[in-house]
Amino acid sequence: MREALRSLGEAMLIRFVRLEGRKFLELKRGIERGFLSKGPLGKKVALYVHIPFCRQLCAYCSFNRYPLDEELAREYFKGLRKELDLYIDRGFSFRSVYLGGGTPTVMMDELSSFLEYLRLRQPIDEISLETNPRDITPENVRLLKDLGVRRLSMGVQSFDDRMLRAMGRFSHNGLEAIEKIKLAQGVFDTFNIDLLYNFPTQKPEDLKEDIRIVKELGVDQVTFYPLMPAPRKHKAIERRFSKIDHGRERVFYRMILDEMMQDGYVPSTVWCFSRGDHMIDEYIIEYPEYIAIGSGSVGLYGGVFYANYFDLTNYLQRVNSGQFPIAMSKRLTRKELLHYHLLTQFFGMSLRREVHRELFGRDPEEELGIELLVLRLLGTIEATQGGFRVTRRGMYVVSGMMREFFTGLNRLREYCMSRRI
Ligand SMILES: C[S@@+](CC[C@H](N)C(=O)[O-])C[C@H]1O[C@@H](n2cnc3c(N)ncnc32)[C@H](O)[C@@H]1O
Ligand code: SF4
């Protein structure tokens, strides 16, 4: 009975995030006044740069991405530099940069010039970058290292060719992914690979085999993404295969935890497991605020959550005429900011009282007393000397909460793309 109540409470928490997340993501057209002239909430602001091109588009993916058109991509990189200038000229400075996509490495010459330009304008401590196995060659690995990339993250999703085909991912096969891992492993401070789970045709044994390969290769860091497509992609996957069952997700997740923890991997987020020192992962945990540039990127700054134009013509028109290409935005309430912070910190395994106080000027219990009490009663978190940490059981709940938040974000992306915003 107690267990049933607990499970019900956990399911309600995940549902709560789904509903609150939707409200959080109800952005309005236009740019909230004056938010870019406000100082940052904490001391640090990260920069996210979106490169929306891929050589082949995967069927499950809900990010803003377009098939590579070289001429357009060159225009785009020019626009990106203009957008960066808009921020730097306003006094923004960034020490940490995350380039995501799409596939940032689709045009290496443009990427190199962009990073060189960025470095000329500002000293950068940390560059993280996403890539696809297809772009990993000995030359590119050397170039990325020389450009100062410290964390390289490569999407693999699965080593199983049947799974890759079912997912509609044709950029590489399993054996190629293994070869590419061998090329990049050990070169960067952190080398991460992404695996996808809970695809309808995937069985726990399939994921277990993927994990076995990862461990055998000694990969530094693995991020496990539960499948979380936007509504249209969700329907298309279910039409073609079968229902996406979140109930199965728990079985997969338990296996991930067992398999990774028994081999010395430590969770740096509830999705990301690392081995060794100096591992870098999600910027949203370390940086309470981040500026986003590039089409279809989302940022959080000065208490405002915003999304850039997704449509490339709209995006380029704005940046080429010297305007911020922000399509939608929303000023968050203090409660929304507190909830966002709570979620991202627990996604990163712990909430540190000191960090919270520095950001919000009060102890977490003062404004999040009920939320923390419920999470503690359900056994999702426990108190520590410096704050709170997620329990082993709680990791699945936080994973479900984060999946709901990101699914909401994917819904927003799909909305903007389908309306050519
Ligand atoms: C934006 S992609 C960039 C990686 C690179 N373009 C590649 O795919 O090789 C980052 C990661 O997001 C994850 N991802 C993309 N679409 C997803 C979805 N619908 N559900 C869950 N994870 C997803 C994949 O694991 C992917 O590796
Ligand atoms: S998963 Fe990566 S390669 Fe595939 S479409 Fe999405 S961004 Fe492009």
Side-chain angles (χ1 to χ4, degrees):
M1 181 63 186
R2 236 181 117 190
E3 180 52 33
L5 274 177
R6 212 171 154 190
S7 299
L8 181 68
E10 290 171 344
M12 281 170 72
L13 270 182
I14 295 174
R15 199 176 153 70
F16 177 75
V17 173
R18 179 185 307 167
L19 300 176
E20 284 297 298
R22 280 194 193 168
K23 274 192 241 155
F24 181 103
L25 293 164
E26 271 169 14
L27 311 187
K28 284 201 245 54
R29 290 301 294 267
I31 311 182
E32 282 287 346
R33 275 170 150 246
F35 83 94
L36 290 171
S37 47
K38 266 179 96 174
L41 182 62
K43 289 195 190 87
K44 303 186 293 185
V45 182
L47 175 69
Y48 173 81
V49 184
H50 194 77
I51 314 291
F53 300 103
C54 299
R55 288 216 166 73
Q56 276 174 308
L57 304 186
C58 312
Y60 54 85
C61 177
S62 303
F63 286 89
N64 188 38
R65 80 285 194 262
Y66 303 97
L68 176 64
D69 166 338
E70 289 206 10
E71 205 179 315
L72 183 59
R74 290 198 193 283
E75 277 252 342
Y76 181 81
F77 273 98
K78 265 193 222 142
L80 212 47
R81 284 197 279 270
K82 289 185 187 158
E83 191 185 3
L84 176 69
D85 287 344
L86 288 176
Y87 284 100
I88 294 182
D89 293 347
R90 283 203 173 203
F92 279 87
S93 69
F94 312 102
R95 286 296 175 97
S96 176
V97 183
Y98 188 101
L99 294 103
T103 308
T105 46
V106 275
M107 297 219 11
M108 284 298 288
D109 58 338
E110 290 290 346
L111 176 70
S112 306
S113 325
F114 177 77
L115 288 177
E116 277 158 10
Y117 183 74
L118 181 64
R119 279 232 139 97
L120 268 179
R121 296 227 54 190
Q122 304 222 311
I124 304 289
D125 293 336
E126 201 173 276
I127 300 177
S128 300
L129 190 119
E130 290 176 354
T131 190
N132 178 277
R134 197 167 158 162
D135 293 338
I136 292 299
T137 61
E139 301 75 49
N140 285 353
V141 168
R142 217 172 307 121
L143 189 54
L144 291 172
K145 178 78 180 166
D146 291 346
L147 286 166
V149 171
R150 290 184 51 201
R151 178 185 187 260
L152 184 71
S153 174
M154 184 170 95
V156 171
Q157 321 320 343
S158 175
F159 295 100
D160 180 335
D161 293 346
R162 257 179 331 116
M163 277 308 312
L164 288 170
R165 278 196 300 275
M167 287 173 185
R169 179 156 165 105
F170 300 103
S171 54
H172 62 273
N173 63 36
L175 278 179
E176 280 161 353
I178 292 175
E179 288 314 309
K180 301 307 173 94
I181 289 174
K182 289 182 183 161
L183 277 181
Q185 174 77 8
V187 175
F188 302 91
D189 287 3
T190 308
F191 176 61
N192 173 84
I193 70 158
D194 296 335
L195 292 177
L196 195 69
Y197 71 98
N198 201 26
F199 198 82
T201 53
Q202 190 180 29
K203 295 190 208 68
E205 308 88 85
D206 301 329
L207 180 65
K208 197 165 181 173
E209 178 58 12
D210 285 339
I211 296 177
R212 188 193 66 73
I213 296 173
V214 160
K215 290 204 277 195
E216 198 174 283
L217 292 167
V219 176
D220 300 332
Q221 189 180 74
V222 190
T223 305
F224 293 90
Y225 286 90
L227 181 65
M228 42 189 183
R232 287 184 188 188
K233 294 244 155 57
H234 190 116
K235 276 198 200 112
I237 292 173
E238 291 196 337
R239 254 198 316 272
R240 179 132 189 251
F241 300 103
S242 55
K243 205 168 152 31
I244 299 172
D245 178 1
H246 292 316
R248 263 171 29 110
E249 207 175 287
R250 193 185 271 272
V251 179
F252 280 105
Y253 192 77
R254 200 168 286 152
M255 195 185 72
I256 292 170
L257 272 192
D258 289 346
E259 287 291 327
M260 298 310 280
M261 309 268 262
Q262 83 190 12
D263 260 81
Y265 282 89
V266 175
S268 38
T269 76
V270 299
W271 291 353
C272 178
F273 297 79
S274 314
R275 207 152 56 169
D277 297 332
H278 310 302
M279 294 292 156
I280 319 162
D281 43 71
E282 280 280 353
Y283 61 94
I284 59 167
I285 297 161
E286 210 183 319
Y287 295 89
E289 295 186 301
Y290 50 96
I291 288 294
I293 66 171
S295 114
S297 58
V298 295
L300 173 60
Y301 185 80
V304 170
F305 191 73
Y306 66 91
N308 269 356
Y309 279 97
F310 283 67
D311 179 78
L312 292 178
T313 310
N314 282 337
Y315 171 79
L316 286 172
Q317 229 170 37
R318 298 306 187 288
V319 284
N320 287 337
S321 59
Q323 299 170 54
F324 284 104
I326 297 175
M328 305 173 102
S329 56
K330 176 187 171 175
R331 190 171 295 285
L332 302 172
T333 62
R334 183 167 172 92
K335 198 73 183 178
E336 282 174 323
L337 271 173
L338 284 160
H339 280 169
Y340 174 83
H341 186 67
L342 189 78
L343 180 62
T344 51
Q345 295 308 289
F346 284 143
F347 180 54
M349 297 298 294
S350 64
L351 174 75
R352 283 182 290 147
R353 179 166 287 114
E354 192 193 321
V355 173
H356 188 93
R357 242 191 247 141
E358 199 183 305
L359 292 178
F360 294 100
R362 294 193 195 174
D363 274 335
E365 292 87 341
E366 287 185 62
E367 291 174 283
L368 293 167
I370 294 179
E371 290 84 341
L372 291 167
L373 178 69
V374 171
L375 288 165
R376 282 182 75 177
L377 285 175
L378 287 171
T380 307
I381 59 168
E382 61 196 7
T384 57
Q385 237 182 0
F388 302 90
R389 76 166 158 245
V390 179
T391 61
R392 187 170 167 133
R393 173 170 178 143
M395 286 174 74
Y396 173 72
V397 181
V398 176
S399 168
M401 287 157 73
M402 208 60 201
R403 179 241 295 148
E404 288 306 323
F405 183 72
F406 278 136
T407 304
L409 200 50
N410 283 342
R411 174 189 292 269
L412 174 72
R413 291 185 173 116
E414 192 171 83
Y415 172 87
C416 292
M417 280 185 269
S418 64
R419 284 177 172 67
R420 294 182 179 267
I421 288 172

